[in-house]
Amino acid sequence: MSDPIYIAGVAETPLGKVTDQSEFSMAALASREALDEAGMTLKDVDAVFTNYMGEEGSVQLGEYLGLRPRYAESSDLGGASFEFFVHHAMLAIAAGRCETALIAYASRQRSRKNRKRAVAGDEQSLPMQFEAPFGIHFPIGHYALSAARHMHQYGTTAEQLAAVAVTARQWAQKNPKAWSRDPLTLEEAMASPAICDPLRKVDCCLVTDGGGAVIVTSKARAMDARKKAIRVLGAGESQCQWQVAQCPDLTVTPGAISGREAFAMAGVTPADVDVFEPYDNFTHAVILYLEDLGFCKKGEGGAFVAEGRLAPGGSLPSMTSGGGLSYCHPGALGILLLIEAVRQLRGEAGERQVPDAEIAVAHGTGGLAFSTASTVILARD
């Protein structure tokens, strides 16, 4: 990029269980707060990005906020959408198609109790004929296949998966906004009820309401921000299969490509990263991301976590908000990963602050058994 691109403002929507707001009003609250951090108002926004909010996209969100953007996108890459949107906002700003992009999302999946539990209805497409007859549950059945394969192929253990859940909870105990803050020991995690072999309850993310907003803008506009603007060093994206039956390798995610491209653009390596915010919808997923993004070799992720490297005081602090496992998982977690990464780099994460954090990675994924991935590398100037 010839000119640096920055995230100038971030904000969460109301979190947890939200009964007095709509998805649009939640997104509006977060958007106004993020714009205030950036020293802007809605009049300064000329690009809008959102993924699914029920059936709504950028047109409906723009209408609600009173915006007529020059540039808009509402592609749905699931939880990977938001890092993907940062990448596309960078390209649009560099091309002169816009100057200030609003990325926003909100979900009330807990209040509405509308998470799908199995493949059914209009999803009985031609490719699904190979999966639906077996009653595979969505999405846990697909991820359980991946976990089982990694355990079989590399000797990853249930204790190592449980260590991811324990680590997330250790961070959540430092975050007053986290949904689950009760202490969790490895023994308690191992005693958690089985949900879909080999995954236990603690291996699975929360189901909550929530969302957020992120402001991406040019260097010229970012210099007027009320809070420290954070530079976007690099970004990458990739996608693979949608149906798990088409997955070429259940132990490798599209992050192997998105991470490689993001690090190449940023000009840094995994060894330079101070904070890692992975999409922890399932415990074994974090292990795969550590391997695919180059923090450790393939097959070594389980031991990497079990050694305490992701925990408070570890060499690679990760899931520092408590993540999707203990903090919040509103159907699409990726936007909250960006928000936490920015707050860590600003030094405003409170009790969970990672000392002297200068470079952070937010890594989003989505779909069935790792269909999509997007990686963003951020830095404190």
Side-chain angles (χ1 to χ4, degrees):
M1 309 296 292
S2 58
D3 293 311
I5 305 297
Y6 289 80
I7 292 179
V10 296
E12 298 152 308
T13 68
L15 305 175
K17 186 172 184 179
V18 182
T19 59
D20 60 345
Q21 301 280 343
S22 69
E23 286 83 355
F24 282 137
S25 66
M26 290 167 65
L29 289 170
S31 297
R32 289 184 181 275
E33 183 179 340
L35 284 164
D36 184 62
E37 286 193 353
M40 302 180 186
T41 69
L42 285 166
K43 293 181 180 179
D44 296 298
V45 175
D46 57 359
V48 175
F49 295 79
T50 188
N51 80 336
Y52 62 88
M53 289 175 53
E55 296 300 322
E56 295 79 23
S58 61
V59 176
Q60 293 88 341
L61 179 60
E63 177 186 53
Y64 187 88
L65 296 176
L67 299 174
R68 291 191 176 184
R70 297 169 55 207
Y71 194 94
E73 184 173 350
S74 47
S75 301
D76 180 10
L77 271 73
S81 297
F82 310 100
E83 287 74 20
F84 171 87
F85 288 153
V86 170
H87 187 196
H88 286 210
M90 291 175 69
L91 300 176
I93 293 169
R97 303 305 300 167
C98 62
E99 188 173 26
T100 298
L102 166 65
I103 302 172
Y105 170 76
S107 167
R108 293 177 62 233
Q109 67 164 9
R110 185 177 187 90
S111 296
R112 293 182 181 275
K113 298 181 179 179
N114 62 354
R115 171 175 278 192
K116 299 175 183 178
R117 294 173 183 254
V119 175
D122 60 2
E123 290 181 316
Q124 301 281 3
S125 59
L126 181 61
M128 286 307 302
Q129 67 178 301
F130 299 108
E131 298 176 20
F134 297 96
I136 190 168
H137 280 255
F138 172 91
I140 188 172
H142 304 78
Y143 283 93
L145 289 174
S146 171
R149 182 63 194 180
H150 198 276
M151 295 170 82
H152 168 77
Q153 189 162 328
Y154 296 108
T156 307
T157 67
E159 288 82 2
Q160 291 171 342
L161 268 60
V164 177
V166 171
T167 299
R169 188 65 57 85
Q170 289 173 338
W171 285 110
Q173 289 181 286
K174 299 176 180 292
N175 185 357
K177 292 184 178 181
W179 179 268
S180 298
R181 301 185 68 209
D182 294 335
L184 178 67
T185 67
L186 186 63
E187 292 74 21
E188 289 169 338
M190 289 299 298
S192 178
I195 300 296
C196 187
D197 188 42
L199 300 177
R200 304 171 187 270
K201 184 177 180 179
V202 296
D203 294 313
C204 308
C205 64
L206 302 170
V207 178
T208 63
D209 301 340
V214 172
I215 307 300
V216 182
T217 193
S218 64
K219 180 179 180 179
R221 294 307 309 269
M223 294 305 99
D224 296 327
R226 289 181 56 251
K227 292 193 173 184
K228 177 180 286 291
I230 299 301
R231 185 172 176 178
V232 183
L233 285 186
E237 63 188 70
S238 184
Q239 64 183 54
C240 193
Q241 79 297 319
W242 182 253
Q243 311 301 332
V244 71
Q246 302 303 311
C247 185
D249 188 336
L250 285 166
T251 70
V252 178
T253 75
I257 296 175
S258 68
R260 181 182 67 208
E261 295 190 349
F263 279 112
M265 180 187 287
V268 299
T269 70
D272 299 312
V273 176
D274 301 303
V275 181
F276 181 38
E277 305 297 348
Y279 197 108
D280 59 329
N281 51 348
F282 296 95
T283 53
H284 79 286
V286 174
I287 292 172
L288 267 63
Y289 307 150
L290 289 168
E291 297 170 351
D292 289 348
L293 269 66
F295 293 107
C296 62
K297 294 180 180 180
K298 180 57 69 175
E300 295 180 356
F304 191 94
V305 175
E307 292 169 0
R309 298 195 188 188
L310 310 190
S315 60
L316 183 65
S318 304
M319 305 174 290
T320 57
S321 66
L325 293 167
S326 286
Y327 155 61
C328 182
H329 193 287
L333 175 65
I335 198 162
L336 295 174
L337 306 179
L338 291 165
I339 293 169
E340 177 66 11
V342 167
R343 288 176 175 166
Q344 286 286 345
L345 295 178
R346 285 178 177 168
E348 57 184 29
E351 187 182 350
R352 66 186 188 279
Q353 179 63 49
V354 175
D356 304 317
E358 295 184 358
I359 296 178
V361 172
H363 179 67
T365 58
L368 304 181
F370 313 112
S371 302
T372 65
S374 52
T375 310
V376 169
I377 301 176
L378 304 174
R380 186 181 72 204
D381 267 351

